[in-house]
Amino acid sequence: MTSEAMIDADETLARFTRTLRTYDDPHVARVAAALADSTPLSIETPALEPEAWLSVLETTAGELYLAASDDEYGTRTRWYVRHDGAAFIYGTKQIGELYRGPEGTNAYRQVRSVVTNHDVTPYPMGNYPLEVADEYQEVPADQ
């Protein structure tokens, strides 16, 4: 990174950390503490249980998203999960945002799967790389 880009990235990380410190939630506090020990090139994340990550997404709705990657069979998959204040949203780099819904829907099941089976990294919503969808598949998971 150029020095100007690095300075901007440092400032973004510092603002993000300060924002998360305003929440009165122990899980969000752990995320903020990990980010305080991070650099833009090396984001630290706490070892939270899946339910804690889901809680962080709900609590900070609109402030952060989580990203995870998997390189399998020569193909890299990148997942993005977030909460918009009303429902969980799941998407991939290849397809974009796909599912949106509360607990009991495919969106919730997919988000839970990502935070259960992968190391996730929190990022500020200002850096969200997917286009926010106008329509989603909102089929309940049990159908």
Side-chain angles (χ1 to χ4, degrees):
M1 283 187 172
T2 66
S3 60
E4 187 173 319
M6 192 62 165
I7 290 168
D8 289 345
D10 279 333
E11 289 173 359
T12 298
L13 180 59
R15 271 193 313 275
F16 184 41
T17 302
R18 283 192 305 272
T19 298
L20 294 183
R21 284 185 172 154
T22 66
Y23 287 89
D24 185 24
D25 180 274
H27 303 303
V28 177
R30 286 186 59 194
V31 173
L35 291 174
D37 292 335
S38 298
T39 70
L41 298 176
S42 178
I43 302 294
E44 300 294 324
T45 57
L48 297 179
E49 295 294 321
E51 293 305 319
W53 278 120
L54 294 169
S55 174
V56 166
L57 286 172
E58 282 186 285
T59 301
T60 63
E63 295 289 347
L64 70 76
Y65 69 93
L66 300 175
S69 293
D70 193 359
D71 292 315
E72 194 170 289
Y73 308 112
T75 302
R76 183 174 189 203
T77 304
R78 186 106 167 124
W79 295 276
Y80 300 96
V81 297
R82 66 186 184 95
H83 196 282
D84 67 2
F88 290 96
I89 297 171
Y90 163 87
T92 68
K93 185 72 171 178
Q94 293 86 350
I95 298 172
E97 290 190 336
L98 182 60
Y99 296 114
R100 179 183 180 277
E103 191 170 341
T105 62
N106 278 327
Y108 179 83
R109 184 176 56 82
Q110 295 291 355
V111 169
R112 191 172 202 314
S113 178
V114 169
V115 300
T116 300
N117 297 307
H118 300 88
D119 292 331
V120 294
T121 304
Y123 295 100
M125 277 303 295
N127 296 351
Y128 191 62
L130 303 182
E131 183 175 326
V132 174
D134 292 329
E135 296 182 13
Y136 301 88
Q137 295 183 24
E138 295 190 39
V139 180
D142 58 358
Q143 290 188 1

